[in-house]
Structures are given as structure tokens and as C-alpha cells.
Amino acid sequence: MMPQANVLVIAPLRPEREAELRGLLASMNFVPGQVNPANALVPFGQFSQIHVARFVILDDQTTGDLQKAYGIPAPKYPLSLAFLADFDGPADAFRADLAKRAGKGLERIFSCCDGFAPGADLAGWMKEREISSATNYVNWVGRTVTQIREEDALRLTIESHLQAKSAAFAEKNPREIHATLREFLQTEIRAGRLALTPQPATPFGWWLRNAAHFIAVPLLLLVLSPLLLLYLPFFAYQLRSREKSDPEIAPRVEACYEEQLATLEDYDVTNQFTAMGSLKPGAFRRWTLIFLLWLLNWTTRHIYTRGQLARVGTIHFARWVFVNDRRRLLFASNYDGALETYMDDFINKVGWGLNLVFSNGVGYPTSRWLVLDGSKDEQKFKYFLRRHELPTNVWYKAYPGLTAFDLKRNTLIREGIEKTHLSESELRQWVALF
Amino acid sequence: MLPAVDYSDVQGLVRFGFANMTEAVYLLLNVRDPQAARAWLAQAPVTTATETNPVPSTALQVAFTRQGLEALGVSDRVIAGFSAEFLSGMAGDANRSRRLGDTGANAPSAWEWGGSGRIPHMVAMLFAERGRLDGWLRSIRGAWFLEGFNEMGWLTTSDLGGREHFGFIDGISQPLIDWNRTRTVSANGNQLAYGNVACLGEFLLGYPNEYNRYTDRPLLDSSDRGAENLPNAEDQPGKRDLGKNGTYVVIRQLRQDVRAFWQYADEATRTAHETGHGVAEAMVGRRLEDGASLAPLSGASIAGVGTTGSEAKRRQDVRLNQFNYATDPDGTDCPLGAHVRRGNPRTPDLPGNPSGILSELMHMLGFGETSLHEDLAASVRFHRVLRRGREYGPGLSPGEAIQPAPPGDPERGLHFIALNANIERQFEFVQNAWMARTKFDGLTEESDPLLGNREPVRGCPFTNTFSIPRKGKVRKRLMEMPQFVTVRGGAYFFLPGIRALRYLAEAGGA
């Protein structure tokens, strides 16, 4: 299995070059926000390892909320450019590949940022400015772009074969269907019309680190549990007293901002989402969030690795990243459907999980005991999310037209076709995938 | 005990379908002379939701677009309190059109009304018993009316005896509104069983909705001019509620190509080796003859099904609506993409019918799924609409429809009318996520068999198929399904409560 990795590069802009940068980024798109995979600057389509990527200017309009809510002077953060990518294989190889094949274009983009001189070591410059996620979510750990494309081709081949031979298949039982299709596909593969590349070996170093992480987090929790238990009553008191007084800042966004965001959406069956906000002031919220995201990251690394984040099966990749000395949080995701559907899924399926994380942000709709209410104040929550959302300047997804569910179904089709022995009920379920 | 609903402050359409009034016409109006328009509105005989004996034989309902409120002189500050979708309008920006499937042949630029520059200010909906509409029209269109309004157009209707143009019984499943305010929902709790009862706030502004919250609407200070006659806001002491007892009305003129539908279904029935009206029924999800669901009836009762009306009505409701799709996870009884299944997938908040706290917790964390499609379309209670549409154009039986069209074949279709308190979460969600989206419930390459626009989706080889799953066999798949329904017009209206209507009639006055 080849696990995915990701990068996030954040670099402050040179103010005098902001307009130029915006123009450059816009020139990469074929419709607003949707990158042309063959654009001249960073031809994402040529990188067979990239799943999703984006450029976004982190123009957070909500930094003044600290002043509004707590009377704390709004910090001045320099306007920055962020580059995010999720890809197969290790980050070092990715950076080198990027510098080699898109170096010129990236130089043009990054030369609008502080501290970049053309001719500098691009990969090194990026690495220096990288920030790792507090929590990272991958819909299906180890499913490569190659695998996704091969499995999509597999499904389409089967579907058109079933359609062409519908009379012959009409009365077959599941076992006959499976056997006939297996035979047909073996012919297709032998003829070179279809490929199902075997899973590569899991890198040993990755496996070891992953196993160590799997054990270390619960172990550490176990060791700390007496202390945590002792602290719990104090924590509850601190939490509740804050929750009762933390102000909400969740007005409906201005129509023009709403339009600016919506113009970037709903061209593909999947959309991007980038949002940013300030943490509530003080060590309590900061350490609460650090602890929670640390726990959440354990679940996304070891539990939610095959198609679902709790009940939500529509997220391809997502991450939560601390920036600016853990005073701000950046959230980026790639989700299926329109934003309204996404937010409803969030509220109805994992409202408690949203509260857990985002209630530590300034202005979040009032929550109770960290998991209750909050997002269940549906309209305020939606306004809050939209208000913190940032227009994503450039977004790439390697497999337009495919949802996370499509990918799951295609993988199940492939797993079924590669098995010679399936039980009667497994065969029935498999036949229902078409 | 929550305060009772003042039916005399609610327009009747929210509570009644006016079924006895089989004639109706919807007048699309523009304000010509604001003063005369206000004078007419101030005394317009608008029918309320109060029960009368005998039932009225005529009815009038009025609703406004944003442009209409502006034309009446309502202040910008007040108008800004309405929902963003209402303010923007159904065809207000290309992003919304993309979401609603209003692209290609459905694009607002080709609409007869409702597109840019063709947005009516107001709709006056007139209903009457057979033979009485002409007289009712004459009495409504008096001197003030004609002075106050320009008529942009009339949307006429026809009575097909409870069936829509494709021949199926329409309006079988409607949410049951909790008029008595006895339904309690907790913001954090899950509803573990599918039910048909909806909080009043889903369909009337000013009351708690299914999240136990009050949907945003314009609230005024008591000191604002004219506000003293508005009802108090239940949730915000000291505020007057312009939305209270009002709701939003979505009107869409949908042209139905009845001949194309039956000719396609007829051909597909033969090639797919189905019998009778098998393919058409699979597309709809109900039987042509009696409206029975293709999914089996459930043994257990469903809250809000078969609980109102006469004994015969209750029995009929049970026969037609006491079912959900939990027993048919793969769609082998009723296709996953059937129109009524898309329109209401009948799912509770949590799949799998968990029993006990531990089981519920496991489901909340995403464990214990027993079928692939189980949790793809959850919590339908937040996405219900009340349908009040009526047909237009002459009827055509399936037998006639498979004949070629004669020259000058008239247009026929549905004036789709949906009432909801939150357009984005109710009508737009259903239209976008359930009807237009080719990925609904794990499907791919197909949109709603009736409403879908078959426009291409990037990266998808088809958008014009329809799958009929079969138990233990390869699915049947229909290909090259044409577009049967084309949007010809539409707008979002605000249907005010009676006191709010009087406020609007006076607000712009000097």
C-alpha cells in the first residue's frame, strides 16, 4: 500500500505584487476557481500522484472579531498565499517532482511572496515554509490516483459490457454473473485494454511510524489518565463558565461575499472548502483544541481510514492546521455535493464533532459541554461557516465527476472481481454494485 | 402550553389545498400605481386559514417577490430581513441556477416569466368552485386593482381530477403540519424513526422549526411606523414579527412533454421486457392505477400517517403512505432513483434502527452500517415541502400520448407550488441534492427520471440513464432518456400573514 501525504506551504505576499499574483492564479483556471489541468504554470494534470491541490490567498476578514468579542486588539497578520496538495507517496519526492516539472510556473507564483528569489532551491524554499496539520483526514488511506483511475475504467468497462450483452446477462444468477465477468475482464487485461495494478508494498518506515503512533497515543492517555481525571472537574468548570459568556459573532454574510464564494462552486460533483478563524483567547481554549485535534488525528489515522469520517462519507481529504503560533486555525476540505448539503450533513450527522473543534473559535454559536447545541443552531452555524470561508483561487481534483462514494463502489467492484470465492450473500451484494 | 395559532392571520393555502375549488388562475402582477395597489391590498378579500362551515366557494391569496416589496415602498432595512434566497430570487444569479438544474433548456434566459427583467412583483392566486372563476375574477379585478397593477400574465390551470399530466395521482404524500404545537423536538436528540409530522416552523415563519429554532425573518421595533399592528415575535421580546404566520412560496412553471414520456416508457417497456406500465411506474415509484408505492407497506404505523380526516381517508393514507425504504436498501422493489423516492427518501436521523444508547452511539460514530446506501440521504425531516401545485393545459391519456403529436399540440404541464419557511434548506435542497444531482443515493449517471435536465456533468460519461435494480440479477438500465420536463418560469414569493399584509399595504404610504 502506498500511503498518501500532503503539503501546506504558507508564505506572506509582497503587498505590491498582490494584484499580479491574483491575475496569475486566475489565469490558471478555465472557469472561476477551477483549474485547467493543463495550464502553463502548474500543469496539475501531468502529475499522476496528485489527488487534490489548491492555491488560496488567506485573506481572513474576521481577525477583528477578537476585538469585537473580547476587546483584544486585532492582530495584524500579513496577507499570505497558501499552497495545499494531497498526493501519493512521500512529500520529499513530491516536492522534487514539482520543482522539476513545474519549477518555472511555481517560481513565477512564489516570487510574489516574501523571501523568494528566482533561481533559489524551490523544493527547499517550500519545505522551509511548510506547516503540518494538527488533524489530517484521508477518505481511503492508500488508494492511489492510479488505482482510482483504473477502477473507474474497470466499472465503465463492466457497465458497457453488461449493457451490450444485457440479454445474455438478464437471467444469470450472481455466481454466473461473477464468473462470466471475471473471464471477460481477464481477456480485457490480457489484451492490454484494462489494467489493475497490484498494490505496491507498504513502505516499512511508514508502517513502523504508523504502528508506533497507534500504540503511543492510547498508552500516553493511559499514563496521563489519573491526572486527566483529577483535572476533569476543573476542566468542566472552566469550560462551562466560558461557554456561558463567550459571545457569538455569526451574522449573515453580505450578498456580494456570498456571490464571490458561490461563483467558485458546483462545477464538479465535488467542491473545495477553505476556512479560517481565530481561536478564543487564552491558554484554556488553545490547549483544549490542541488536545482534541491530537485525539481526532489518531482516529483519522487508524479508525476512519476506509471511506467515512464518523457518519460522513462525502469528504475526500480534509485537514485542520494551526497557524500563527496556534492563534488561528485553517480548515480545508474537499467534499461532494453543494455547500448546503455539506453543511446539513455536518449538522445532522456530526454536529457534535463540529462543536468539539470549532466551538473553540471566536464567535461560534453557543455550545454546551463542548458537544451540544452550537452547530444545531442551524442558521447561525451556516452563517458562521460561510463568514469564515475564503475564496479558493485555484482548485484541482484529479478525478472530476467521481464522488467519494463512486470511489468506494469502484473499489468494492474491484475487490470482488479479484476474488475467486465469494459467498452467496457476498455475490448478491457485489452484483448490486452495478 | 404554547400560544395557539391564530388561523385568521394565516393565508388559507398553508392549511388547505382548496380541493373543492377546482378552478384556479394565478395572476402575475406588476405594481403600476403604488398608491392604488396599496389601497387594493388594504381591503383585498384574502382567504384565511380559519375553518368555516360551509367551506368557501372562492378564495384569494397574495404573495410578493422582493421587487414587489420594493415597488410597494417597503423600506430597504425591512426587506433586508428576508432570507438571502428570497432576496436574490430563483433566477437571481447563475450560481443558484447551476444548483437548481436551471441550465441548458431550463435556463432562465429562455423563461416566459421570472427571468431577468421578467420578474413579477406579485402573484394573486384565485381559486373557485366549478363555474365560478369568471365571476370571481370580475369581482377581484375592480377599479383599484386595474389602476394599481399591470398584468404581466395569467397562469391558467386545468383540473385533471387529482392526476398530473403523465397520468399519475399527484400530491399523495404531504407532511402533516403540527398546527396544535404538540410536537417536541430536541436540538441535540436524534429522531430514530421516520415520521410524517413536521414542526409548524417548517411551514410558517415565527414558530420553532425542526431544529427547535426560529427561522430568520424581518423583525421590527415596536416603535417602527406601522409595526404596532404586527404580531409580537415569540422568541424576541419587544420585537414585532413581519414574518409571523407567513411563509415563502416557490412557483415553477414546468412544461411536461407527455408524448415523449409515454413514447419513451412504451419503447423501454418492450426492450426491457417489462409488462403493462412497468417502466413508467418504476420511474415514478408508484402504481399508475391507484398510486400504491412500489415499496412494500410497513407493518408498524408511522407518526402522522393515517391520523387525520374521515375513517376512509385514514385508511387510504395508510394504504398509500405507511411505508419507508428501509426494507428495500438496494432498490429492488422501488428503484433508488424513482421520482417519489428521490423526493422523499423517508429516512430518520440515524440509520439501522438502533436500540439502546450504546447502539445509538455506535451509529453516531459511523459504525454498524448494514447496507451501502443506508446513510447516504439522512434526516428527511429538514427537507420537506408542502406542495400546492396545479396542472395546466389539456389532459392526454397514456394511450393518446403514444400517438404522434398533431399540429399545434398545446403546451401542458404543472404550475409547481411549494410552501416552506426556509427555501434553501427545503425546496432548494430537494431540487439540488435529490432531484438534479446525478449522484443521489449512490447512483451515478442519472438525475430524476421526470425532472432531470440531462445536462452533461464533467467527468461523467452519461447523465441520461435510469437504473432498475433486480434482486440477485443484473440491473436493468435504460439509456438515452430524454428530458421530459422543461422549466418555463418561476420565482420566489413571500406569502404574508394577514396582519403583515396590511403592514405591507401601508408601509410605503406617505
Side-chain angles (χ1 to χ4, degrees), chain A residues 58 60-68 70-79 277-281 286 323-328 362:
Chain A
L58 302 176
D60 181 3
Q61 315 268 332
T62 65
T63 49
D65 288 1
L66 273 171
Q67 169 84 46
K68 267 184 249 172
Y70 302 97
I72 296 171
K76 278 259 180 291
Y77 298 111
L79 194 61
S278 304
L279 266 64
K280 287 171 178 168
R286 192 176 317 150
V323 290
N324 302 111
D325 199 19
R326 291 172 173 166
R327 288 176 201 284
R328 288 203 292 173
V362 173

Side-chain angles (χ1 to χ4, degrees), chain A residues 30 34-35 37 152 155-156 159 162-163 169-174 177 252 258-259 262-270 303-304 308-311 336-338 340-341 343-345 347-350 352 355 366 368 371-380 382-383 386 397 400-403 405-406 408-409 412 428-429 431-434, chain B residues 79-84 87 93-96 98-99 187-190 209 211 213-217 273 330 348-351 363-367 369-370 372-373 375-379 382-383 422 424-426 428-429 432-433 437-439 441-445 457-462 467 469-479:
Chain A
F30 72 97
Q34 311 283 304
V35 77
D152 183 41
R155 188 190 80 89
L156 292 174
E159 290 284 7
L162 289 175
Q163 206 58 24
F169 276 100
E171 292 313 312
K172 285 194 198 306
N173 66 36
I177 297 165
R252 190 166 84 193
E258 170 75 33
E259 198 186 337
T263 302
L264 308 172
E265 295 169 357
D266 301 317
Y267 299 97
D268 181 31
V269 297
T270 309
I303 309 290
Y304 297 119
Q308 267 179 255
L309 178 55
R311 282 178 70 199
D336 296 325
E340 177 71 11
T341 329
M343 292 194 294
D344 271 317
D345 249 16
I347 297 169
N348 299 336
K349 289 181 171 171
V350 289
W352 55 273
N355 294 345
T366 303
R368 276 188 301 131
V371 289
L372 300 177
D373 297 346
S375 65
K376 298 289 180 176
D377 198 340
E378 175 236 357
Q379 284 191 297
K380 260 190 212 149
K382 288 176 180 173
Y383 296 158
R386 211 41 160 169
K397 174 181 159 225
L402 293 176
T403 63
F405 184 85
D406 287 332
K408 177 177 180 176
R409 182 195 44 233
L412 293 175
R428 274 174 172 275
Q429 284 174 13
V431 167
L433 295 172
F434 300 104
Chain B
I79 291 175
F82 287 96
S83 73
L87 295 179
D93 73 278
N95 306 318
R96 169 161 287 104
R98 212 159 51 238
R99 284 200 299 278
N188 297 296
N190 287 307
N209 59 24
Y211 287 105
R213 301 276 175 179
Y214 292 79
T215 304
D216 286 351
R217 71 270 180 214
H273 305 288
D330 294 326
D349 291 346
L350 268 183
H363 274 89
M364 279 173 71
L365 293 173
F367 303 108
E369 248 185 80
T370 55
L372 209 51
H373 299 268
D375 204 15
L376 297 181
S379 296
F382 301 110
H383 312 295
N422 186 332
E424 187 175 48
R425 173 162 63 75
Q426 295 172 269
E428 287 190 348
F429 183 99
N432 166 265
R437 189 166 166 79
T438 58
K439 304 291 182 177
D441 212 1
L443 294 165
T444 182
E445 296 154 10
V457 172
R458 205 160 74 89
C460 297
F462 313 103
S467 309
R470 297 192 303 158
K471 254 189 200 95
K473 301 228 173 82
V474 168
R475 85 290 178 278
K476 290 182 182 177
R477 176 159 295 164
L478 312 185
M479 306 295 286

